Amino acid sequence: MAHDAAFAWSIIVLATAGVIIRPFRLPEAIWALAGAGALVAFGLLPWRDALAGIEKGVDVYLFLIGMMLIAELARLEGLFDYLAALAVEHARGSPQRLFLLIYLVGTLVTVLLSNDATAIMLTPAVHAATRAAGAKPLPYLFVCAFIANAASFVLPISNPANLVVFGAHMPQLADWLRQFAMPSLASIVLTYLVLRLALHRALSEETIARRVPHRKLGRGGKLTACGIAAIGVVLVTASALDRPLGLPTFICGSVTAAAVLLLSRQSPWPVLKHVSWSVLPLVGGLFVMVEALVRTGVIGRLSALLHEAVAQSVPRAAWSVGIATAIADNVANNLPVGLVAGSVAAADRLPAPVVSAILIGVDLGPNLSVTGSLATILWLVALRREQIEVGAWTFLKLGLLVTPPALVATLAAAIW
């Protein structure tokens, strides 16, 4: 039995490493599916348990599909380009003001469309707008990466990891806001202040144009903006009524996309073609691997350790688990860490400060390194499409400055 558990853990570690490192440049989903398939093929996880693991992610899959559809539609209709160009014009030639405006736009996109949308859709728009304004894009592109995680627990819909951590135990909206309003404010403000100070020299050397050429927002873009606002209302309502968020997100995203495409008489193919469908099997494979961890007793042992710590001191346990989770994100990526943390949190009722610390570690911790979260990896992919390379060490140097003070302030707001 111990031999089987060690073998299963080895497969999971190798598969997770494959997701993060991407050997042979194969998609992340290939490695997650390979790990899940190997667990079943070697008899380490019964296929029925594997299917049960996949089934646990249905709400997350629906949420991701809905968000990816509306985000891709917004990109095609030029909504993100319009917002980025608008930020340049309102900056009135000030790099510092432009930095703040992009940060505010990134916050809004993250809160209402999820952190993955900020990484995938806002990043290319900011690159295009800053290049057109004659600025060096990188300081402003860092904004997209850091705010994508820093603002990702304002609402339950701001990060798919929120659904993973809480699962069927998602707090009602009023409870969520009571629990995470102050920590979110601390995260957003501290991340901005330290990031702004860290990039002060680069911004002070900039000169930017007051206006950049951009197309007007057409009817499709305006309808998409209305659709996003409607999605926000529907999801906030669903959260307030303690309903699962996946199906409402899927319906809203699909209906909005269909309405805009029909009214503008466009083919749905361009939208469907550019949606990152590989994210779904990636998440499914991770759910299967976490099911194997449950079966081999890892989740139970972690839960027992956490409850022992809680019995001694709730604040100390919250601090410990929040920091440990944040560090683990940057070793194994926050998706598998979030799945494990969610399983531990669901194993038994834990004090609210401890659960809050777990979520903050999962959501904010990835700002330390470029492989910390799926959103940051997607940001890196978006940069590579623009022929911009950001090395792991370059990101880590900035992450080491920005993340610790924001994490400490955010955990303090949640625990005390």
Side-chain angles (χ1 to χ4, degrees), residues 138-230:
L138 197 53
Y140 309 98
L141 293 171
F142 276 126
V143 170
C144 299
F146 281 91
I147 193 56
N149 294 319
S152 65
F153 46 99
V154 174
L155 294 176
I157 62 174
S158 304
N159 190 340
N162 299 340
L163 279 71
V164 168
V165 171
F166 281 103
H169 306 285
M170 182 69 71
Q172 291 187 353
L173 183 61
D175 294 332
W176 180 282
L177 292 175
R178 194 178 304 113
Q179 204 168 339
F180 292 109
M182 288 308 296
S184 291
L185 183 62
S187 173
I188 292 167
V189 171
L190 262 293
T191 298
Y192 171 78
L193 290 175
V194 182
L195 189 61
R196 173 73 174 73
L197 287 171
L199 298 172
H200 170 73
R201 181 176 294 179
L203 293 174
S204 64
E205 295 171 354
E206 287 273 76
T207 54
I208 62 172
R210 288 179 170 269
R211 298 185 66 84
V212 294
H214 64 90
R215 66 181 187 182
K216 289 185 177 181
L217 194 63
R219 184 174 67 170
K222 292 175 183 176
L223 286 172
T224 303
C226 292
I228 290 171

Side-chain angles (χ1 to χ4, degrees), residues 269-341:
W269 176 243
V271 173
L272 297 175
K273 182 174 67 173
H274 290 100
V275 167
S276 300
W277 296 109
S278 63
V279 170
L280 302 178
L282 165 64
V283 176
L286 292 173
F287 267 106
V288 172
M289 288 192 281
V290 170
E291 196 68 20
L293 290 176
V294 173
R295 186 177 174 82
T296 55
V298 171
I299 303 299
R301 183 58 186 150
L302 289 173
S303 180
L305 288 171
L306 183 54
H307 280 281
E308 287 174 16
V310 167
Q312 294 176 7
S313 169
V314 170
R316 191 182 306 157
W319 278 105
S320 300
V321 76
I323 293 170
T325 304
I327 294 170
D329 292 336
N330 298 283
V331 175
N333 190 267
N334 78 331
L335 261 182
V337 170
L339 287 166
V340 171

Side-chain angles (χ1 to χ4, degrees), residues 75 80-81 84 117-131 141 144 378-379 381-383 385-386:
R75 187 189 69 83
F80 290 104
D81 293 321
T118 299
I120 298 170
M121 305 305 170
L122 189 60
T123 300
V126 167
H127 176 262
T130 50
R131 284 288 298 271
L141 293 171
C144 299
L378 293 171
W379 173 81
V381 170
L383 292 195
R385 287 176 184 162
E386 307 294 342

